[in-house]
Amino acid sequence: MSTVAETQIKLTPEHDARPTATVRSRLQDLLPKIVLAPSFAATIVFVYGFILWTIYLSFTNSKTFPSYAITGARAYQRLWRWTFESDPPSSWYTSITNMGIFGFLYILICLALGLFLAILLDQKIRGEGMLRPIYLYPMALSFIVTGVAWKWFLDPGLGLEQTLHQWGWTSFHFDWIKNKDFVIYTVVIAGVWQASGFIMAMFLAGLRGIDGEIMKAAQIDGATTFQLYRRIVIPLLRPVFLSAFIVLAHLAIKSYDLVVALTSGGPGGSAWLPSNFMYEFTFKRNEMAVGSASAVIMLMTITAIIVPYLYSELREKSR
């Protein structure tokens, strides 16, 4: 009898503690969701909600203020005419042409330069710990700071050209920032300077993640350094290339402040990108529908880049 009583006495507290433990575990599971709920709701409203609102405005006749009466795809038709039928070229045609030049050169040079710097640092050179922060430092700066700094450096009356003239090289001329045909290339220079260090860090992390045994086996088989990188290292860095491409393409499409700080839009808007066109027509020329349509086109471009990347990543994980 005493044994049964003791057993009941011991079981009673455990039985009473189970509901408390269950409630506590439920609260612990709900706490992260409760904490994240306000930010999640804000994201839904102020990001995706305004994306839908912008798409809606692109099908209206909105001018200075929003107009909620749908008028069809007139804004898109205007952009279509400005792309293929305008003579002389419209500011939208200039913007998308500059986007093609800037995006292609920006991505290509950043990838090539970032890979080259990563390979150099991967050779275990002296001072690597000091060189990495130097290469990464530009990415810590805002595009405004980068644009202003390069504007001073490239201005013929203040920067490189003036300095070389003072040193006696009076025949040197570098006025790209004032030349409407070359001003977009100054944006490429500033953008590459800022982003190449970050791409270098991505490639360096990828290089450090490659199994050294594979490299040693290839060297034993007689592979040269060039063959080693061409046939083994670079193919293994394919995921890094894809990630770097996504990051650079996203930065290129949404670039706005770099162009404004560096060139103020360039002579006659010759350095405009689609983001500059969108801001100008929405907030300065009182063409909100046209500005919204250009923003939707930018969104579609980014989506066309990101969706295949997400699809490939999810398909690899499912395997």
Side-chain angles (χ1 to χ4, degrees):
M1 293 293 292
S2 61
T3 305
V4 176
E6 290 177 1
T7 304
Q8 291 178 348
I9 292 172
K10 290 180 179 179
L11 289 177
T12 302
E14 295 179 2
H15 179 74
D16 295 338
R18 285 176 185 173
T20 305
T22 303
V23 173
R24 183 181 300 173
S25 63
R26 288 180 179 176
L27 288 175
Q28 289 176 347
D29 293 338
L30 288 175
L31 184 60
K33 299 177 182 179
I34 295 173
V35 172
L36 292 175
S39 60
F40 179 76
T43 301
I44 293 295
V45 174
F46 295 105
V47 177
Y48 297 101
F50 279 101
I51 287 175
L52 295 176
W53 189 57
T54 301
I55 294 173
Y56 179 83
L57 289 179
S58 68
F59 291 97
T60 65
N61 193 30
S62 300
K63 296 292 185 179
T64 305
F65 298 101
S67 172
Y68 300 102
I70 294 180
T71 58
R74 293 180 182 177
Y76 295 96
Q77 292 172 354
R78 292 179 66 181
L79 293 179
W80 177 269
R81 290 196 302 269
W82 290 347
T83 302
F84 299 103
E85 301 175 8
S86 62
D87 188 23
S90 65
S91 54
W92 174 247
Y93 178 83
T94 301
S95 299
I96 59 176
T97 302
N98 286 339
M99 184 73 262
I101 296 172
F102 174 70
F104 176 77
L105 294 177
Y106 176 67
I107 294 173
L108 180 64
I109 297 174
C110 280
L111 289 175
L113 185 59
L115 179 61
F116 176 72
L117 293 175
I119 291 174
L120 289 182
L121 289 181
D122 194 45
Q123 308 305 312
K124 307 297 190 298
I125 62 175
R126 290 184 178 180
E128 177 187 343
M130 181 180 65
L131 290 174
R132 277 183 298 175
I134 292 175
Y135 291 143
L136 281 170
Y137 174 73
M139 198 63 188
L141 303 175
S142 68
F143 283 112
I144 295 293
V145 175
T146 298
V148 172
W150 277 94
K151 181 177 182 179
W152 292 342
F153 183 75
L154 297 176
D155 193 312
L158 298 174
L160 180 63
E161 180 177 322
Q162 180 66 19
T163 301
L164 293 178
H165 285 182
Q166 292 176 352
W167 288 355
W169 191 359
T170 56
S171 61
F172 178 83
H173 294 286
F174 191 81
D175 61 346
W176 285 10
I177 200 169
K178 304 290 185 181
N179 190 325
K180 65 182 182 67
D181 296 324
F182 293 94
V183 65
I184 188 61
Y185 298 103
T186 63
V187 183
V188 174
I189 293 172
V192 168
W193 176 81
Q194 183 166 34
S196 57
F198 176 70
I199 303 303
M200 176 273 298
M202 294 179 65
F203 279 121
L204 186 60
L207 288 171
R208 296 287 165 84
I210 295 176
D211 188 359
E213 296 299 325
I214 300 176
M215 309 282 284
K216 292 178 181 178
Q219 290 173 341
I220 292 173
D221 290 339
T224 63
T225 302
F226 177 77
Q227 292 174 333
L228 192 68
Y229 280 95
R230 178 174 175 268
R231 296 182 179 273
I232 297 177
V233 175
I234 292 180
L236 289 175
L237 291 177
R238 187 187 67 84
V240 182
F241 272 101
L242 186 58
S243 299
F245 174 80
I246 295 297
V247 171
L248 292 173
H250 175 261
L251 291 174
I253 293 172
K254 74 181 188 68
S255 293
Y256 168 80
D257 39 5
L258 180 62
V259 176
V260 172
L262 177 62
T263 67
S264 299
S270 55
W272 274 14
L273 296 176
S275 55
N276 302 96
F277 176 92
M278 181 272 295
Y279 180 85
E280 181 76 16
F281 272 73
T282 302
F283 299 106
K284 292 186 177 181
R285 301 194 184 184
N286 301 325
E287 293 283 353
M288 187 176 293
V290 175
S292 299
S294 64
V296 172
I297 292 174
M298 292 170 58
L299 174 66
M300 293 171 60
T301 306
I302 295 176
T303 303
I305 295 171
I306 293 179
V307 168
Y309 169 74
L310 294 177
Y311 175 75
S312 64
E313 289 292 317
L314 293 174
R315 189 173 65 175
E316 288 183 3
K317 288 182 179 179
S318 64
R319 290 179 182 176

